[in-house]
Amino acid sequence: MMSGRKLQSAALFLTLFGAMLFMPPLVLLFNLRQRLFGIPAEVIYLFVVWLGLVIATAWFARRLPASGTQSPPSGPDN
């Protein structure tokens, strides 16, 4: 299992990698005349990347601790 710090780094990497996948040079690689079920390959690429990022984000959201949670102080109360 990954530690919290590694998960945070992986989530940051996912954000940067996802932004890179939507940049025009990569999107234009799928600007083809071919269609799948009448849908252009470029649109399919964008939808698949978007869906993958949503699923990956949901996975990270379940595993990363909430940012506002703190453990209660240990020790006797005065």
Side-chain angles (χ1 to χ4, degrees), residues 22 27 30-31 34-52:
F22 284 111
V27 174
F30 293 90
N31 191 8
Q34 298 174 347
R35 293 176 177 257
L36 181 63
F37 302 113
I39 303 170
E42 187 175 24
V43 173
I44 293 173
Y45 167 78
L46 290 172
F47 181 73
V48 167
V49 168
W50 172 79
L51 184 63

Side-chain angles (χ1 to χ4, degrees), residues 9-71:
S9 296
L12 175 63
F13 175 76
L14 175 70
T15 303
L16 297 175
F17 185 68
M20 190 177 72
L21 289 175
F22 284 111
M23 294 285 179
L26 286 177
V27 174
L28 291 177
L29 290 175
F30 293 90
N31 191 8
L32 309 170
R33 292 192 178 263
Q34 298 174 347
R35 293 176 177 257
L36 181 63
F37 302 113
I39 303 170
E42 187 175 24
V43 173
I44 293 173
Y45 167 78
L46 290 172
F47 181 73
V48 167
V49 168
W50 172 79
L51 184 63
L53 289 173
V54 167
I55 291 170
T57 302
W59 184 85
F60 276 114
R62 290 185 168 264
R63 279 154 184 76
L64 283 171
S67 62
T69 60
Q70 295 180 351
S71 60

